[in-house]
Amino acid sequence: MKHAQIKKLTYVAAAGTLVSVILMSLALVFPNPLLLVFAMSLGQGIGILSLALYLLAIALDLNIGGALVDNVDEQLQAVREDHVRK
Amino acid sequence: MIHSFQDLLKLGALAGAGVSVAIIVWYLAKRPPLGRLAKMLLFLGLGVFPTGVALMGNIAGFEFTKTRQFCGSCHVMGPYVRDAGDPASKSLASAHSRNKWFGHDSCYTCHADYGMFGAVATKVTGLSHLYHYVTEYAMTGPDGEGGKPLKLYKRQDLEKKKLTEAEFTKHVNGVCKQCHSTDDPMWIAAGAHEGVLDGLRGDKTACIDCHSDIHPTALHRRAKQARAEESKP
């Protein structure tokens, strides 16, 4: 699993949580039967799935050992090329 | 303004949601490297705060589902809820809805199952209410006049022979006896209670046999009322 894929996983988890939290908040502000049922089932389901995805991303990141940095693959490549040049 | 524990929970849930949204929007907009700080913030924004929102939201939502306002949000409940909220009405529903302790939750207080898992059973039944509402009553007129007459689930069970008459009586008396213990001397002396005391205590006589004017404006009673009006001289 590449760093870029792990970052994508984190973005998906963040977007999913955003949808879930908005759905739950809407049900609190405008409580009606359908919205409450959606928030308590679909909303919380998306939230749990998103948290699971985020924890998976963190576990994978720990597995490959390092902080996720933007363009890390390119940066690694640059370091390797620099090393070869030297 | 905070008037109840439910309001407090709602406020807490919305505050948690606000913090969570702020963290997520910051992350999605800035897209920072996932260092230790970003991971911790995301753990709060994706895990801790949304879990709090869900827990507090569930309790606040559950409390709201007990209110008369919530029951009245389905149009088929209109005649029942309007009568219950009418201060001039002499119906049993209206009299109980004027009670300051549970009047705002009067539908739930009388119609919820009252056993050990009564709240869960009631909410599962509520989900089936929602299903029937969407599939059978959605386009049935302002008060659901075009739909099937509404009946208590327990009465339906009685008609389908899933419940015996004795079980049905025990259930409906149990609802009344949550408050009316049948031991209060004033209650015993009132009306004709003394004469039917053994029957009521032993659930051989149903309270609603005499106190039948519970929801006089219910749709299934309108036809009978119209006939009664017509037959008046």
Side-chain angles (χ1 to χ4, degrees):
Chain A
M1 172 81 58
K2 286 183 179 176
H3 280 90
Q5 285 172 309
I6 294 174
K7 284 211 85 170
K8 240 179 236 169
L9 212 57
T10 316
Y11 291 138
V12 171
T17 308
L18 193 62
V19 171
S20 159
V21 168
I22 288 172
L23 208 55
M24 288 191 281
S25 305
L26 277 178
L28 287 171
V29 179
F30 308 106
N32 72 57
L34 268 179
L35 206 50
L36 269 172
V37 169
F38 270 121
M40 285 183 173
S41 53
L42 197 68
Q44 291 183 13
I46 295 171
I48 291 167
L49 195 69
S50 303
L51 180 60
L53 282 180
Y54 177 66
L55 294 177
L56 176 71
I58 296 301
L60 289 169
D61 177 48
L62 291 174
N63 199 30
I64 48 179
L68 290 169
V69 181
D70 276 330
N71 307 322
V72 73
D73 292 328
E74 289 83 350
Q75 289 181 32
L76 278 173
Q77 187 62 31
V79 169
R80 268 190 220 110
E81 284 169 7
D82 193 40
H83 186 71
V84 169
R85 238 179 276 128
K86 279 178 185 170
Chain B
M1 285 293 288
I2 299 170
H3 297 290
S4 61
F5 185 56
Q6 184 192 336
D7 289 343
L8 191 68
L9 285 173
K10 201 191 264 191
L11 195 70
L14 288 175
V19 176
S20 179
V21 167
I23 292 172
I24 295 169
V25 168
W26 163 79
Y27 176 68
L28 289 176
K30 294 263 180 188
R31 305 209 165 194
L34 267 178
R36 191 170 293 174
L37 180 69
K39 279 180 192 163
M40 279 309 295
L41 277 175
L42 278 179
F43 181 68
L44 292 175
L46 270 65
V48 177
F49 284 110
T51 305
V53 173
L55 291 177
M56 287 189 275
N58 272 354
I59 299 170
F62 179 76
E63 286 298 318
F64 184 73
T65 62
K66 289 159 76 175
T67 62
R68 189 146 40 95
Q69 183 194 350
F70 179 80
C71 299
S73 60
C74 290
H75 69 278
V76 290
M77 286 292 115
Y80 302 84
V81 173
R82 282 198 299 274
D83 171 62
D86 179 3
S89 172
K90 290 179 178 162
S91 72
L92 217 57
S94 179
H96 284 87
S97 296
R98 288 194 284 271
N99 185 299
K100 96 173 194 184
W101 297 109
F102 64 84
H104 49 286
D105 294 344
S106 56
C107 311
Y108 186 86
T109 305
C110 293
H111 288 284
D113 271 356
Y114 49 82
M116 187 175 179
F117 299 106
V120 177
T122 304
K123 289 302 139 199
V124 171
T125 312
L127 281 177
S128 68
H129 282 172
L130 184 65
Y131 171 76
H132 288 298
Y133 177 73
V134 172
T135 57
E136 293 175 30
Y137 293 96
M139 304 287 181
T140 53
D143 284 341
E145 295 91 335
K148 288 189 291 186
L150 300 175
K151 281 183 187 172
L152 279 176
Y153 271 102
K154 295 288 178 192
R155 195 174 286 286
Q156 289 179 25
D157 288 346
L158 176 69
E159 286 171 7
K160 289 176 187 166
K161 311 271 184 214
K162 286 182 189 172
L163 276 182
T164 62
E165 190 75 39
E167 286 169 334
F168 176 76
T169 306
K170 191 174 179 183
H171 175 81
V172 292
N173 277 7
V175 172
C176 305
K177 286 181 193 171
Q178 290 180 102
C179 299
H180 305 286
S181 71
T182 76
D183 289 326
D184 179 17
M186 275 173 71
W187 179 87
I188 295 170
H193 288 153
E194 204 158 6
V196 288
L197 203 53
D198 289 339
L200 288 169
R201 284 180 179 164
D203 296 321
K204 302 277 185 285
T205 307
C207 307
I208 56 172
D209 287 348
C210 298
H211 301 282
S212 58
D213 219 11
I214 306 164
H215 294 296
T217 52
L219 288 176
H220 71 279
R221 298 183 69 160
R222 281 189 188 175
K224 287 179 205 163
Q225 279 173 348
R227 279 199 297 275
E229 292 286 325
E230 278 171 19
S231 63
K232 274 185 187 170

